[in-house]
Amino acid sequence: MVREMDLYSQIAFALVLIGGICWGLAGLFNFELVTGIFGNLIGRIIYVVIGVAAGWLCYKIYVEKMKKV
């Protein structure tokens, strides 16, 4: 699947995976990995970038599904 994606989608996919791991740590251990490493302000910016990456992947999936209809 990853080989078929363009560069932006591959980067977005990696960011969403990292975001999923961070949310898993937050849910299981109440530990915010990104804010623990980068601090509050930069951590919030990183979370926004991860959210945009997730939106990008949703858009790409939608476009691919509409091509097949």
Side-chain angles (χ1 to χ4, degrees):
M1 176 181 169
V2 175
R3 289 185 297 189
E4 298 170 3
M5 292 189 280
D6 60 354
L7 179 62
Y8 294 125
S9 296
Q10 289 178 0
I11 293 169
F13 186 74
L15 288 171
V16 169
L17 285 178
I18 292 168
I21 291 168
C22 289
W23 276 102
L25 288 172
L28 288 173
F29 304 113
N30 198 22
F31 177 66
E32 296 284 338
L33 181 66
V34 174
T35 54
I37 293 172
F38 297 106
N40 194 24
L41 178 62
I42 295 176
R44 290 182 68 179
I45 293 169
I46 291 172
Y47 280 130
V48 169
V49 169
I50 290 171
V52 169
W56 173 259
L57 288 180
C58 289
Y59 168 74
K60 294 293 280 189
I61 290 169
Y62 175 77
V63 167
E64 282 297 315
K65 294 290 181 185
M66 288 297 112
K67 285 182 183 176
K68 294 179 180 178
V69 172

